Amino acid sequence: MTFYTHSTFAVLLSVILMQILNISGLTFISLFGPTSLQFVLGAALGSLVPDLDQRNIKLSRKIPLLSWILKFLGIKHRGISHSILGIMITALFSLSLIRLKFINMVLVYGFLIGYLSHILMDLFNPGGVTLFWPKNKRYSLGNIKVGKVAENLLFLVISSMLVLMIYWKDGTLNLISDLIYSLRSGFN
């Protein structure tokens, strides 16, 4: 998937998660609250990190040293970075940064949601992911190829859902539906 699809899906997933957690009363992060931006930005960034092992992507070009280190360590694309072990290592590293007070927990939780969303999206690529690395077996649930029509349609659906969720939460969609209902009632 392209970085547009990965980051948009991560933002959608983070918005959905914020809504679920708020409805259940389990969190203090609301969609238009002060910490929501950190959560969403963390998710967008986390969705791009698993592909740092590719030198030709935008994030690798922005952080070439990190990309070079990964290549030097022999980390191959869709290897450890796309595995359960990679998620666990990233989570432990992130939690260490929280303890050292380099970053806050809201950003890290968003980051980890984004990281997970990346792996979930890549499961729908025919190349699949090595979920149980170091075992080389790749798992794939679909045939969505990078930059092709299916991915573009998926991006459109994800983007539309995100816009609708934000407008719904903002109350704009409620206003629109009330307006449509009023217009219908006027014609009857």
PDB file of all heavy atoms in Angstrom, residues 12-24:
ATOM      1  N   LEU A  12      -8.224   6.754  10.375  1.00  0.00           N
ATOM      2  CA  LEU A  12      -9.592   6.244  10.510  1.00  0.00           C
ATOM      3  C   LEU A  12      -9.692   5.295  11.699  1.00  0.00           C
ATOM      4  O   LEU A  12     -10.602   5.408  12.522  1.00  0.00           O
ATOM      5  CB  LEU A  12     -10.042   5.532   9.233  1.00  0.00           C
ATOM      6  CG  LEU A  12     -11.408   4.842   9.301  1.00  0.00           C
ATOM      7  CD1 LEU A  12     -12.524   5.854   9.502  1.00  0.00           C
ATOM      8  CD2 LEU A  12     -11.655   4.014   8.060  1.00  0.00           C
ATOM      9  N   LEU A  13      -8.756   4.372  11.794  1.00  0.00           N
ATOM     10  CA  LEU A  13      -8.764   3.411  12.894  1.00  0.00           C
ATOM     11  C   LEU A  13      -8.630   4.120  14.243  1.00  0.00           C
ATOM     12  O   LEU A  13      -9.307   3.769  15.203  1.00  0.00           O
ATOM     13  CB  LEU A  13      -7.641   2.392  12.705  1.00  0.00           C
ATOM     14  CG  LEU A  13      -7.691   1.137  13.535  1.00  0.00           C
ATOM     15  CD1 LEU A  13      -8.963   0.345  13.249  1.00  0.00           C
ATOM     16  CD2 LEU A  13      -6.474   0.270  13.240  1.00  0.00           C
ATOM     17  N   SER A  14      -7.792   5.139  14.299  1.00  0.00           N
ATOM     18  CA  SER A  14      -7.623   5.862  15.569  1.00  0.00           C
ATOM     19  C   SER A  14      -8.891   6.633  15.933  1.00  0.00           C
ATOM     20  O   SER A  14      -9.268   6.688  17.105  1.00  0.00           O
ATOM     21  CB  SER A  14      -6.410   6.789  15.517  1.00  0.00           C
ATOM     22  OG  SER A  14      -6.594   7.840  14.608  1.00  0.00           O
ATOM     23  N   VAL A  15      -9.576   7.197  14.940  1.00  0.00           N
ATOM     24  CA  VAL A  15     -10.831   7.907  15.200  1.00  0.00           C
ATOM     25  C   VAL A  15     -11.894   6.927  15.691  1.00  0.00           C
ATOM     26  O   VAL A  15     -12.611   7.202  16.660  1.00  0.00           O
ATOM     27  CB  VAL A  15     -11.306   8.677  13.946  1.00  0.00           C
ATOM     28  CG1 VAL A  15     -12.743   9.155  14.087  1.00  0.00           C
ATOM     29  CG2 VAL A  15     -10.372   9.849  13.664  1.00  0.00           C
ATOM     30  N   ILE A  16     -11.996   5.772  15.035  1.00  0.00           N
ATOM     31  CA  ILE A  16     -12.953   4.747  15.463  1.00  0.00           C
ATOM     32  C   ILE A  16     -12.637   4.301  16.894  1.00  0.00           C
ATOM     33  O   ILE A  16     -13.531   4.189  17.731  1.00  0.00           O
ATOM     34  CB  ILE A  16     -12.946   3.542  14.495  1.00  0.00           C
ATOM     35  CG1 ILE A  16     -13.551   3.944  13.154  1.00  0.00           C
ATOM     36  CG2 ILE A  16     -13.694   2.353  15.093  1.00  0.00           C
ATOM     37  CD1 ILE A  16     -13.367   2.901  12.062  1.00  0.00           C
ATOM     38  N   LEU A  17     -11.365   4.062  17.164  1.00  0.00           N
ATOM     39  CA  LEU A  17     -10.964   3.628  18.502  1.00  0.00           C
ATOM     40  C   LEU A  17     -11.273   4.691  19.556  1.00  0.00           C
ATOM     41  O   LEU A  17     -11.761   4.369  20.642  1.00  0.00           O
ATOM     42  CB  LEU A  17      -9.481   3.262  18.516  1.00  0.00           C
ATOM     43  CG  LEU A  17      -8.969   2.601  19.775  1.00  0.00           C
ATOM     44  CD1 LEU A  17      -9.710   1.292  20.035  1.00  0.00           C
ATOM     45  CD2 LEU A  17      -7.489   2.334  19.662  1.00  0.00           C
ATOM     46  N   MET A  18     -11.027   5.952  19.223  1.00  0.00           N
ATOM     47  CA  MET A  18     -11.358   7.021  20.166  1.00  0.00           C
ATOM     48  C   MET A  18     -12.854   7.012  20.476  1.00  0.00           C
ATOM     49  O   MET A  18     -13.250   7.163  21.628  1.00  0.00           O
ATOM     50  CB  MET A  18     -10.969   8.388  19.596  1.00  0.00           C
ATOM     51  CG  MET A  18      -9.525   8.751  19.789  1.00  0.00           C
ATOM     52  SD  MET A  18      -9.194  10.476  19.351  1.00  0.00           S
ATOM     53  CE  MET A  18      -9.036  10.375  17.584  1.00  0.00           C
ATOM     54  N   GLN A  19     -13.666   6.818  19.441  1.00  0.00           N
ATOM     55  CA  GLN A  19     -15.115   6.806  19.643  1.00  0.00           C
ATOM     56  C   GLN A  19     -15.530   5.624  20.525  1.00  0.00           C
ATOM     57  O   GLN A  19     -16.329   5.785  21.444  1.00  0.00           O
ATOM     58  CB  GLN A  19     -15.852   6.730  18.301  1.00  0.00           C
ATOM     59  CG  GLN A  19     -15.645   7.949  17.458  1.00  0.00           C
ATOM     60  CD  GLN A  19     -16.225   9.185  18.103  1.00  0.00           C
ATOM     61  OE1 GLN A  19     -15.864   9.564  19.213  1.00  0.00           O
ATOM     62  NE2 GLN A  19     -17.137   9.827  17.418  1.00  0.00           N
ATOM     63  N   ILE A  20     -15.003   4.455  20.238  1.00  0.00           N
ATOM     64  CA  ILE A  20     -15.358   3.260  21.017  1.00  0.00           C
ATOM     65  C   ILE A  20     -14.938   3.435  22.473  1.00  0.00           C
ATOM     66  O   ILE A  20     -15.705   3.152  23.391  1.00  0.00           O
ATOM     67  CB  ILE A  20     -14.716   1.995  20.412  1.00  0.00           C
ATOM     68  CG1 ILE A  20     -15.373   1.668  19.072  1.00  0.00           C
ATOM     69  CG2 ILE A  20     -14.808   0.815  21.369  1.00  0.00           C
ATOM     70  CD1 ILE A  20     -14.654   0.590  18.277  1.00  0.00           C
ATOM     71  N   LEU A  21     -13.723   3.905  22.691  1.00  0.00           N
ATOM     72  CA  LEU A  21     -13.232   4.072  24.057  1.00  0.00           C
ATOM     73  C   LEU A  21     -13.993   5.164  24.810  1.00  0.00           C
ATOM     74  O   LEU A  21     -14.214   5.049  26.001  1.00  0.00           O
ATOM     75  CB  LEU A  21     -11.733   4.363  24.055  1.00  0.00           C
ATOM     76  CG  LEU A  21     -10.851   3.202  23.591  1.00  0.00           C
ATOM     77  CD1 LEU A  21      -9.400   3.642  23.495  1.00  0.00           C
ATOM     78  CD2 LEU A  21     -10.996   2.004  24.499  1.00  0.00           C
ATOM     79  N   ASN A  22     -14.407   6.205  24.118  1.00  0.00           N
ATOM     80  CA  ASN A  22     -15.175   7.263  24.766  1.00  0.00           C
ATOM     81  C   ASN A  22     -16.577   6.793  25.121  1.00  0.00           C
ATOM     82  O   ASN A  22     -17.078   7.106  26.193  1.00  0.00           O
ATOM     83  CB  ASN A  22     -15.244   8.506  23.886  1.00  0.00           C
ATOM     84  CG  ASN A  22     -13.993   9.320  24.004  1.00  0.00           C
ATOM     85  OD1 ASN A  22     -13.453   9.465  25.088  1.00  0.00           O
ATOM     86  ND2 ASN A  22     -13.518   9.836  22.899  1.00  0.00           N
ATOM     87  N   ILE A  23     -17.195   6.054  24.224  1.00  0.00           N
ATOM     88  CA  ILE A  23     -18.540   5.538  24.492  1.00  0.00           C
ATOM     89  C   ILE A  23     -18.505   4.610  25.695  1.00  0.00           C
ATOM     90  O   ILE A  23     -19.387   4.625  26.544  1.00  0.00           O
ATOM     91  CB  ILE A  23     -19.110   4.825  23.242  1.00  0.00           C
ATOM     92  CG1 ILE A  23     -19.425   5.866  22.164  1.00  0.00           C
ATOM     93  CG2 ILE A  23     -20.351   4.009  23.584  1.00  0.00           C
ATOM     94  CD1 ILE A  23     -19.734   5.273  20.808  1.00  0.00           C
ATOM     95  N   SER A  24     -17.452   3.795  25.778  1.00  0.00           N
ATOM     96  CA  SER A  24     -17.343   2.849  26.887  1.00  0.00           C
ATOM     97  C   SER A  24     -16.825   3.502  28.164  1.00  0.00           C
ATOM     98  O   SER A  24     -16.828   2.894  29.224  1.00  0.00           O
ATOM     99  CB  SER A  24     -16.434   1.684  26.496  1.00  0.00           C
ATOM    100  OG  SER A  24     -15.116   2.159  26.286  1.00  0.00           O
TER     101      SER A  24
END
